[in-house]
Amino acid sequence: MSELTPNLQNERVLSGGEVRFDLHKESEHVMPLNEGQALAAARLAAEKSQQTIEKAPTDSEIIAIHGLYVLQVRRHTAVATQADFDLAAGV
Amino acid sequence: MSILKKVFGLITGDSTAASFSMPKNRPLKKLTERELLQLESEIGAKLFGEVPEGHRREFFCLDEKTWIWYEEWKDAAGKRHTATTRYEVHQKGILKVQEGARYSFIEGEELKNLRLATTMYYEQVMRGVYGFDPKTGQKLHANHS
């Protein structure tokens, strides 16, 4: 005859010597999900991940960022150029 | 003087700027900002394939919020025509500004085409003028100059 035996690792000794099953630890046990629960869990996970994925940039944003990049590199290069001229001229 | 030259002149203070051409084996470090803009413009002009005979085309990034498209051609009677279109980056989108006070936010195929053009411009200018890999931002090792 099989009996449910307490998992001693999940028992806590309370004051007065009373022993109580630790529900917190028990809740950490992985329980198999039925199909409905699995679907619900998958849906929830998908929703959570969707919230963290950044939206793709729009055409306007791509155009803006290309202009910004080009300008930054152009100005950076030109500043370096001016510095070279200054150096050569002994400024 | 063409409108493009005027634009260059306004930007650079040099009315002869439009005649600038890319020297072979140029030392990049010796180019000024206005010269870099002109080199970019040379690449921009070639982004859209063959320019029809008698036409002149320019496309360049004027500043971080403005792209310029310039077209110049002669009609059958030999009369010269020019068209300058300015694309401005605004919060609401890309505003197309043409002569005759015509303004409109572009959308659909036109917006997609402009996006493709600026992407090509960015990629080719980064490689061809500045010697950077546009994807990684790393300096190219090859003899790009």
Side-chain angles (χ1 to χ4, degrees):
Chain A
M1 178 177 161
S2 65
E3 288 182 1
L4 285 174
T5 54
N7 179 349
L8 293 177
Q9 288 181 336
N10 283 344
E11 285 175 350
R12 283 190 301 179
V13 179
L14 304 180
S15 59
E18 182 190 354
V19 175
R20 182 174 290 173
F21 200 72
D22 189 332
L23 292 174
H24 175 69
K25 285 189 178 177
E26 182 66 11
S27 70
E28 289 175 358
H29 288 201
V30 177
M31 300 293 289
L33 298 174
N34 63 36
E35 194 179 352
Q37 289 171 318
L39 279 172
R43 195 175 297 121
L44 185 64
E47 284 172 3
K48 280 186 178 176
S49 66
Q50 198 70 22
Q51 289 166 4
T52 58
I53 295 172
E54 290 181 17
K55 70 176 181 67
T58 64
D59 287 338
S60 297
E61 288 166 343
I62 291 171
I63 291 165
I65 205 72
H66 283 147
L68 194 60
Y69 284 166
V70 167
L71 255 289
Q72 282 179 346
V73 174
R74 184 193 298 159
R75 283 175 183 159
H76 175 81
T77 305
V79 167
T81 301
Q82 189 58 52
D84 286 347
F85 282 141
D86 290 347
L87 191 65
V91 175
Chain B
M1 181 184 291
S2 72
I3 290 177
L4 182 66
K5 280 188 180 177
K6 286 180 185 172
V7 170
F8 273 128
L10 285 172
I11 302 161
T12 65
D14 180 2
S15 60
T16 62
S19 62
F20 183 89
S21 62
M22 186 186 296
K24 298 295 179 193
N25 300 318
R26 66 207 148 75
L28 184 61
K29 284 182 181 175
K30 291 182 181 173
L31 296 178
T32 63
E33 188 171 348
R34 72 170 185 231
E35 291 167 334
L36 292 168
L37 172 64
Q38 290 152 15
L39 292 180
E40 291 176 23
S41 178
E42 288 184 13
I43 289 177
K46 296 169 187 164
L47 288 179
F48 307 94
E50 200 69 28
V51 179
E53 196 176 331
H55 279 239
R56 184 167 152 237
R57 181 182 295 155
E58 298 286 349
F59 179 72
F60 57 93
C61 174
L62 180 63
D63 59 39
E64 59 265 60
K65 293 193 172 184
T66 314
W67 293 82
I68 302 281
W69 168 285
Y70 172 81
E71 192 93 24
E72 182 183 307
W73 71 98
K74 283 182 181 172
D75 63 20
K79 187 182 176 190
R80 193 170 141 274
H81 299 269
T82 64
T84 303
T85 305
R86 201 166 74 236
Y87 296 96
E88 296 178 356
V89 176
H90 288 255
Q91 286 274 336
K92 283 176 62 182
I94 305 297
L95 184 67
K96 178 181 178 182
V97 181
Q98 294 176 291
E99 288 146 78
R102 287 181 289 160
Y103 304 88
S104 61
F105 281 100
I106 59 171
E107 54 190 14
E109 201 66 20
E110 187 175 12
L111 181 59
K112 188 180 161 190
N113 288 340
L114 182 64
R115 189 249 296 162
L116 287 172
T118 60
T119 300
M120 289 166 65
Y121 183 97
Y122 167 71
E123 291 182 353
Q124 294 189 26
V125 159
M126 283 300 117
R127 288 180 190 280
V129 175
Y130 299 108
F132 284 103
D133 184 323
K135 298 268 188 275
T136 65
Q138 299 296 309
K139 196 80 180 161
L140 295 171
H141 299 295
N143 296 325
H144 64 274
S145 57

PDB file of all heavy atoms in Angstrom, chain A residues 82-91:
ATOM      1  N   GLN A  82      40.923  69.923 -40.135  1.00  0.00           N
ATOM      2  CA  GLN A  82      41.310  71.242 -39.655  1.00  0.00           C
ATOM      3  C   GLN A  82      42.458  71.124 -38.647  1.00  0.00           C
ATOM      4  O   GLN A  82      43.391  71.928 -38.654  1.00  0.00           O
ATOM      5  CB  GLN A  82      40.099  71.936 -39.011  1.00  0.00           C
ATOM      6  CG  GLN A  82      40.325  73.401 -38.672  1.00  0.00           C
ATOM      7  CD  GLN A  82      40.700  74.215 -39.907  1.00  0.00           C
ATOM      8  OE1 GLN A  82      40.011  74.164 -40.914  1.00  0.00           O
ATOM      9  NE2 GLN A  82      41.792  74.943 -39.842  1.00  0.00           N
ATOM     10  N   ALA A  83      42.368  70.096 -37.824  1.00  0.00           N
ATOM     11  CA  ALA A  83      43.430  69.888 -36.832  1.00  0.00           C
ATOM     12  C   ALA A  83      44.764  69.617 -37.525  1.00  0.00           C
ATOM     13  O   ALA A  83      45.811  70.102 -37.090  1.00  0.00           O
ATOM     14  CB  ALA A  83      43.055  68.714 -35.921  1.00  0.00           C
ATOM     15  N   ASP A  84      44.711  68.851 -38.609  1.00  0.00           N
ATOM     16  CA  ASP A  84      45.933  68.560 -39.364  1.00  0.00           C
ATOM     17  C   ASP A  84      46.525  69.840 -39.960  1.00  0.00           C
ATOM     18  O   ASP A  84      47.729  70.059 -39.915  1.00  0.00           O
ATOM     19  CB  ASP A  84      45.631  67.574 -40.512  1.00  0.00           C
ATOM     20  CG  ASP A  84      45.416  66.173 -39.990  1.00  0.00           C
ATOM     21  OD1 ASP A  84      45.734  65.936 -38.808  1.00  0.00           O
ATOM     22  OD2 ASP A  84      44.918  65.338 -40.755  1.00  0.00           O
ATOM     23  N   PHE A  85      45.623  70.679 -40.511  1.00  0.00           N
ATOM     24  CA  PHE A  85      46.094  71.925 -41.091  1.00  0.00           C
ATOM     25  C   PHE A  85      46.719  72.820 -40.016  1.00  0.00           C
ATOM     26  O   PHE A  85      47.765  73.417 -40.214  1.00  0.00           O
ATOM     27  CB  PHE A  85      44.939  72.674 -41.773  1.00  0.00           C
ATOM     28  CG  PHE A  85      44.575  72.107 -43.121  1.00  0.00           C
ATOM     29  CD1 PHE A  85      43.251  72.028 -43.517  1.00  0.00           C
ATOM     30  CD2 PHE A  85      45.538  71.644 -43.999  1.00  0.00           C
ATOM     31  CE1 PHE A  85      42.905  71.512 -44.753  1.00  0.00           C
ATOM     32  CE2 PHE A  85      45.198  71.119 -45.243  1.00  0.00           C
ATOM     33  CZ  PHE A  85      43.867  71.048 -45.616  1.00  0.00           C
ATOM     34  N   ASP A  86      46.015  72.878 -38.881  1.00  0.00           N
ATOM     35  CA  ASP A  86      46.526  73.699 -37.784  1.00  0.00           C
ATOM     36  C   ASP A  86      47.900  73.224 -37.346  1.00  0.00           C
ATOM     37  O   ASP A  86      48.814  74.012 -37.090  1.00  0.00           O
ATOM     38  CB  ASP A  86      45.554  73.669 -36.606  1.00  0.00           C
ATOM     39  CG  ASP A  86      44.273  74.425 -36.923  1.00  0.00           C
ATOM     40  OD1 ASP A  86      44.253  75.164 -37.936  1.00  0.00           O
ATOM     41  OD2 ASP A  86      43.298  74.280 -36.174  1.00  0.00           O
ATOM     42  N   LEU A  87      48.023  71.913 -37.254  1.00  0.00           N
ATOM     43  CA  LEU A  87      49.284  71.327 -36.823  1.00  0.00           C
ATOM     44  C   LEU A  87      50.394  71.666 -37.821  1.00  0.00           C
ATOM     45  O   LEU A  87      51.485  72.090 -37.441  1.00  0.00           O
ATOM     46  CB  LEU A  87      49.130  69.801 -36.714  1.00  0.00           C
ATOM     47  CG  LEU A  87      50.266  69.050 -36.031  1.00  0.00           C
ATOM     48  CD1 LEU A  87      50.366  69.448 -34.560  1.00  0.00           C
ATOM     49  CD2 LEU A  87      50.030  67.551 -36.129  1.00  0.00           C
ATOM     50  N   ALA A  88      50.043  71.497 -39.107  1.00  0.00           N
ATOM     51  CA  ALA A  88      51.037  71.761 -40.151  1.00  0.00           C
ATOM     52  C   ALA A  88      51.426  73.236 -40.160  1.00  0.00           C
ATOM     53  O   ALA A  88      52.580  73.587 -40.443  1.00  0.00           O
ATOM     54  CB  ALA A  88      50.474  71.355 -41.507  1.00  0.00           C
ATOM     55  N   ALA A  89      50.448  74.093 -39.836  1.00  0.00           N
ATOM     56  CA  ALA A  89      50.711  75.530 -39.863  1.00  0.00           C
ATOM     57  C   ALA A  89      51.333  76.017 -38.556  1.00  0.00           C
ATOM     58  O   ALA A  89      51.667  77.194 -38.421  1.00  0.00           O
ATOM     59  CB  ALA A  89      49.408  76.284 -40.129  1.00  0.00           C
ATOM     60  N   GLY A  90      51.448  75.114 -37.613  1.00  0.00           N
ATOM     61  CA  GLY A  90      52.043  75.476 -36.328  1.00  0.00           C
ATOM     62  C   GLY A  90      51.139  76.306 -35.450  1.00  0.00           C
ATOM     63  O   GLY A  90      51.589  77.065 -34.600  1.00  0.00           O
ATOM     64  N   VAL A  91      49.813  76.157 -35.659  1.00  0.00           N
ATOM     65  CA  VAL A  91      48.847  76.929 -34.856  1.00  0.00           C
ATOM     66  C   VAL A  91      48.758  76.341 -33.447  1.00  0.00           C
ATOM     67  O   VAL A  91      48.660  75.134 -33.318  1.00  0.00           O
ATOM     68  CB  VAL A  91      47.454  76.912 -35.515  1.00  0.00           C
ATOM     69  CG1 VAL A  91      46.424  77.619 -34.618  1.00  0.00           C
ATOM     70  CG2 VAL A  91      47.506  77.551 -36.879  1.00  0.00           C
TER      71      VAL A  91
END
